[in-house]
Amino acid sequence: MNPTAIQLAGTIIFACAVIHTFLVSKFERMAHKYPEGSIGENVFHFLGEVEAVFGIWAAIFIGIYSWLTGFAIYDEAHVVVGGALHYLESLNFTEPAFVFVIMCMAGTRPVIMLSEKMIKGVSRLIPLPGRMRFYMTALILGPILGSFITEPAAMTVTALILLDFFYSEGKMSNKFKYATIGLLFVNISIGGTLTHFAAPPVLMVAGKWGWGMNYMMTHFGYKAVIAIIISTLLITFVFKNELKGDLKTKVKNDGLLNPTWWITGLHLLFIGLVVYTAHHMVFFMGLFLFFIGFVTVTKEYQSELKLKESLLVGFFLAGLVTLGGVQAWWLEPILTSMNDVTLFFGATGLTALTDNAALTYLGSLVELSDSAKYNLVAGAVSGGGLTVIANAPNPAGFGILKSSFGDDGISPLKLLVGALVPTAIACACMLLLHHL
């Protein structure tokens, strides 16, 4: 491996970004040492936003790239052919834009209320106490819905439901909070694998490798459902004492009208059209502008769009894309040197350090056998809950739930521990059932 100066700089900066994600709680604590509303407080709060980390370091990388090669190199026809600007233009930022749009649409009041009704309706069929059955249903049905409304949308909906009915009550122990968010992240990561268009790591390779709906259902989907059910039942049983009692009905005192069927239907239509055109930014961004207009017109039924949260997640992914573009020099030799089982567990481990979509994308650039392709993707989705950077939708759930963990926010180490058992179950289902 003989990396160029730019590749080496990119890898060093990528490592700095990963280390930064483990230090966000310290930046949050530093922010509290400054007067409220001061520049110092705001700067450290921004540095403590995990969603902003990779965007910040990507900006630093582009600065170094410009210093090493120039910002833009033009040919005689004044076309950009080199420099940092040329590098940025060579990247594909469709996925960050897609996640931003789908998060905004899925986090709206009509969609959340519909999802709550669906989960409550299914939970009534389970002969258990109200809180316990609602918890189970939310963490099983919510992630599986991710295969149809996309993982970012499912993460947004499920995390908001957990915030409303569990985290905001203040009765969850710290251990239960981390077990729940770890379970949520893992279930979302594997829950989008029933289809070929919902999970970012699958999206990156499905077209090139010819994986359609039938392939995903028969190779990934049923295994994911089994793993989700086993993990959720296990966590529910372990924390059964904290899930006793009936579910408290949340009264919406927001002064808004309940969405009518046609308003909810149009929301679903917008989401469906965005999913259908997920690879065509020029169309779904235009559609998003129409959606903003629709929300404005029907504002008496709507809560505010979650623009800030969605933009931060989009910023996070754009930073990953920018830095990920120069990591192939060390990742590719590692992937190609592994046998199938080693590749599976290697992908699971590497996913904790780099977004699983970036990992599978790099795998799509090299020649792999059919079994190697399966093990790469299966390992990548199984490890998607280990860290906040492991799977694209994780920052969305992180951003929604982090205020419930106190001033220090979510500890990366405790999140890792909370996700270990569901990850082990996902690995077992994806690996063992594949050989039956």
Side-chain angles (χ1 to χ4, degrees):
M1 294 184 288
N2 296 306
T4 64
I6 289 174
Q7 289 174 327
L8 191 58
T11 300
I12 292 171
I13 289 173
F14 183 83
C16 290
V18 172
I19 294 169
H20 187 160
T21 62
F22 287 87
L23 299 175
V24 290
S25 61
K26 296 186 182 298
F27 286 116
E28 286 289 346
R29 283 198 295 270
M30 290 176 70
H32 296 304
K33 297 179 180 179
Y34 291 85
E36 186 175 351
S38 67
I39 293 177
E41 184 200 35
N42 292 332
V43 166
F44 282 107
H45 270 312
F46 183 65
L47 293 173
E49 293 276 4
V50 72
E51 301 94 329
V53 169
F54 277 81
I56 293 169
W57 286 99
I60 294 171
F61 171 64
I62 293 301
I64 293 174
Y65 200 123
S66 300
W67 177 62
L68 290 173
T69 68
F71 178 68
I73 300 172
Y74 298 91
D75 63 9
E76 294 178 355
H78 206 68
V79 175
V80 178
V81 294
L85 182 59
H86 178 69
Y87 171 71
L88 286 173
E89 290 180 339
S90 71
L91 301 174
N92 185 358
F93 291 98
T94 300
E95 183 181 313
F98 170 76
V99 170
F100 160 67
V101 170
I102 206 70
M103 270 192 67
C104 281
M105 290 185 175
T108 52
R109 189 166 175 267
V111 176
I112 297 296
M113 291 182 71
L114 175 64
S115 301
E116 285 181 11
K117 288 177 182 178
M118 290 176 62
I119 291 172
K120 285 180 179 177
V122 173
S123 71
R124 292 191 185 99
L125 303 176
I126 303 173
L128 290 171
R131 274 172 57 82
M132 186 177 294
R133 69 191 185 196
F134 187 72
Y135 177 85
M136 286 174 52
T137 309
L139 283 163
I140 293 174
L141 183 58
I144 292 174
L145 281 174
S147 284
F148 306 97
I149 63 173
T150 74
E151 284 187 355
M155 176 67 83
T156 301
V157 169
T158 310
L160 284 170
I161 288 172
L162 289 173
L163 179 67
D164 264 358
F165 290 91
F166 297 97
Y167 281 83
S168 63
E169 288 186 352
K171 297 179 181 178
M172 296 174 71
S173 67
N174 216 37
K175 187 179 292 186
F176 187 27
K177 286 180 181 179
Y178 279 104
T180 298
I181 194 172
L183 177 65
L184 171 66
F185 282 9
V186 175
N187 284 2
I188 289 290
S189 182
I190 61 176
T193 60
L194 280 72
T195 61
H196 59 289
F197 60 82
V202 175
L203 263 171
M204 291 295 189
V205 300
K208 183 172 182 179
W209 290 347
W211 289 2
M213 182 86 74
N214 182 61
Y215 181 90
M216 293 307 301
M217 284 285 188
T218 55
H219 286 75
F220 291 89
Y222 76 94
K223 300 168 192 173
V225 171
I226 292 171
I228 288 170
I229 292 173
I230 293 173
S231 296
T232 305
L233 289 176
L234 178 62
I235 298 299
T236 302
F237 175 76
V238 170
F239 293 98
K240 61 183 183 296
N241 291 331
E242 297 197 43
L243 290 168
K244 289 180 179 178
D246 294 325
L247 188 73
K248 292 182 180 180
T249 302
K250 296 289 181 178
V251 180
K252 305 288 185 180
N253 293 319
D254 50 15
L256 299 172
L257 300 176
N258 287 331
T260 60
W261 66 267
W262 65 268
I263 289 178
T264 302
L266 283 175
H267 275 258
L268 297 179
L269 177 61
F270 273 112
I271 290 175
L273 287 172
V274 169
V275 170
Y276 181 71
T277 59
H279 298 293
H280 306 281
M281 193 195 315
V282 67
F283 186 88
F284 70 69
M285 287 302 294
L287 197 65
F288 180 58
L289 295 178
F290 280 103
F291 177 77
I292 292 175
F294 170 70
V295 170
T296 302
V297 170
T298 59
K299 62 182 180 181
E300 58 188 336
Y301 300 94
Q302 309 278 359
S303 54
E304 284 191 24
L305 289 176
K306 292 178 171 55
L307 290 172
K308 177 188 173 183
E309 297 88 342
S310 304
L311 277 170
L312 278 173
V313 175
F315 187 51
F316 170 88
L317 288 176
L320 266 181
V321 170
T322 303
L323 292 175
V326 289
Q327 307 308 320
W329 70 272
W330 64 272
L331 266 178
E332 187 175 319
I334 292 174
L335 294 179
T336 54
S337 66
M338 296 177 177
N339 61 39
D340 286 353
V341 175
T342 308
L343 180 58
F344 179 92
F345 288 109
T348 304
L350 283 171
T351 289
L353 300 177
T354 182
D355 176 69
N356 54 13
L359 191 61
T360 58
Y361 171 72
L362 291 173
S364 72
L365 301 178
V366 300
E367 288 297 325
L368 297 174
S369 65
D370 288 342
S371 60
K373 292 174 184 176
Y374 170 83
N375 282 289
L376 172 64
V377 176
V381 298
S382 296
L386 292 171
T387 61
V388 71
I389 66 170
N391 191 34
N394 289 357
F398 184 98
I400 291 167
L401 297 175
K402 67 180 180 181
S403 61
S404 305
F405 287 80
D407 292 340
D408 292 340
I410 299 172
S411 163
L413 181 59
K414 291 180 180 178
L415 170 62
L416 176 67
V417 172
L420 284 178
V421 171
T423 298
I425 292 171
C427 287
C429 289
M430 288 293 178
L431 195 57
L432 298 179
L433 292 177
H434 184 63
H435 295 285
L436 291 180

